[in-house]
Amino acid sequence: MNFNSRLFDRIRIGASEAEAVEEIPARRCDHPGCAKSGEFRAPMGRGKEGKFFQFCLDHVKAYNATYNYFAGMNDEALAAYAKQEEIGHRPTWKLGVNSKAARMAQRGRVAGGAAGPEVQDGFNIFGARAGQEASKPESRVGILARKALDTLGLDDSADKAAIKARYKELVKRFHPDANAGDRSREGTLQEILKAYQTLKAQGLV
């Protein structure tokens, strides 16, 4: 580049807009009468998902100690919420009959996995599968309760005492107050709370 060129002398650079940086004041704590800065988020509760309060450290600890997403819900409402949780609270609809399943039924395969007279099963694959299904022990709880027990790390043989003990252990482990205010495990804690409420609604606790 020729620095002595007349064209080079005509190049001008305007003032940068980044030079004037306006500082945004920190948000104050949402607790009434508190003048500290609100550095910590806390969920507003059921019906206001995605919205948060901004609290100082002292007030976010106090808020978390009494926060209960399911406050005010009766057993029927809790059971309905847990059922909707299985599908992510999204609408569902019934689909038509699976075409492949319909064709297999027409060829003679009966319900339960056994082979019909028109199906050649030389290795007894379908018969063995039907025998395995029949030999499985029947669970004493439903699908929803099994899922909740699995969330707590228990099987369907757990009694009330074992469920309560496991629940208390997990809440103490994942609660923000037990982790210096760390809210990174709040999602896991919410799953544990919902699982316990599901078991309670079904009379297992």
Side-chain angles (χ1 to χ4, degrees), residues 149-169:
L149 287 168
D150 186 59
T151 300
L152 298 180
L154 300 171
D155 56 28
D156 57 2
S157 64
D159 57 8
K160 291 184 178 182
I163 294 172
K164 287 182 179 180
R166 181 63 172 169
Y167 169 72
K168 290 179 181 179
E169 175 192 347

Side-chain angles (χ1 to χ4, degrees), residues 15-145:
S16 174
E17 296 180 0
E19 293 177 359
V21 178
E22 182 180 354
E23 293 187 3
I24 301 176
R27 179 173 171 176
R28 290 180 58 181
C29 177
D30 286 332
H31 190 275
C34 182
K36 296 180 181 179
S37 60
E39 302 176 15
F40 304 93
R41 296 198 314 173
M44 289 188 175
R46 189 173 69 254
K48 296 182 179 180
E49 286 79 2
K51 296 182 179 180
F52 300 89
F53 292 113
Q54 295 289 139
F55 289 127
C56 63
L57 181 59
D58 293 334
H59 287 128
V60 79
K61 286 183 177 180
Y63 183 83
N64 287 338
T66 59
Y67 179 77
N68 182 5
Y69 182 83
F70 302 99
M73 294 178 70
N74 56 27
D75 290 345
E76 291 77 11
L78 285 171
Y81 182 93
K83 186 174 181 63
Q84 287 295 317
E85 184 66 18
E86 292 182 348
I87 56 174
H89 301 276
R90 297 177 181 176
T92 59
W93 53 90
K94 186 176 181 180
L95 300 177
V97 177
N98 183 281
S99 59
K100 184 177 181 180
R103 288 196 302 271
M104 295 302 290
Q106 290 174 358
R107 292 175 184 172
R109 183 172 302 173
V110 297
E118 298 180 8
V119 178
Q120 299 297 324
D121 187 14
F123 295 101
N124 194 30
I125 295 174
F126 300 113
R129 181 182 300 170
Q132 290 173 359
E133 292 293 332
S135 64
K136 286 183 179 179
E138 185 176 352
S139 176
R140 69 182 182 92
V141 298
I143 297 175
L144 195 60

